[in-house]
Amino acid sequence: MPVATLAEAPRFERGGAVFRPLAVPSRGSAELAVWLLELAPGTTGEEHSVSREEVFVLQSGGLDLTLGGEVHRLVPGDAMIVPPDTLFRLDNPAPEPARATVCTSIGMVGTVGGTTIVPPWTR
C-alpha cells in the first residue's frame, strides 16, 4: 500500500500521549516506522529508552526533551535525535497540544521502568 492516510490510522493512547501510526509494517512499510505523536497540554512524559535511534520533528506546539540530564526546549520545525539505549523524557508544559512526526527503524523496542515493551504503534 503506497499511501497510508492519517484518517485511517489507528489510535493508541498512553499517559497523555496519542500515537497514530502512518508508515509501519501493518500499513505497508518494510524498513521504517513513522507515526504522529500528540502530547496533551501539561503532559509529563515517562522516562524511557528505545533500542534504535529515534527522530522527532516538532510540527506544532512546544516540547521539552530531557536527555542526559539536560533539558532542551523544542519549537516547531526543530528535530531531536535520540540515540539508542539512552534515557529520555518528553514533556509538554505549554497550554496547547504538541504534535510531532516520529521516525525509527522497524523492530524498535522500548524500556519503561525496567519493563521492555513493543509499542503497538510501531507494528
Side-chain angles (χ1 to χ4, degrees), residues 53-79:
E53 181 177 76
E54 196 169 41
V55 177
F56 297 74
V57 179
L58 187 61
Q59 304 301 320
S60 62
L63 287 175
D64 287 348
L65 165 68
T66 303
L67 181 68
E70 189 174 342
V71 178
H72 305 272
R73 179 71 177 157
L74 296 136
V75 298
D78 289 349

Side-chain angles (χ1 to χ4, degrees), residues 107-111 115-123:
M108 181 272 287
V109 297
T111 302
T115 300
T116 299
I117 65 166
V118 179
W121 53 89
T122 66
R123 300 182 206 161

Side-chain angles (χ1 to χ4, degrees), residues 20 22-23 32 39-41 43 47 58 66 84 89 104 106-107 111 116:
R20 305 284 308 275
L22 296 168
L32 299 175
L39 283 181
T43 297
E47 186 174 60
L58 187 61
T66 303
R89 188 181 81 219
T104 191
I106 298 237
T111 302
T116 299

Side-chain angles (χ1 to χ4, degrees), residues 13-36:
E13 295 184 40
R14 183 179 174 119
V18 175
F19 304 86
R20 305 284 308 275
L22 296 168
V24 294
S26 63
R27 302 192 78 204
S29 180
E31 296 182 22
L32 299 175
V34 179
W35 60 90
L36 177 68

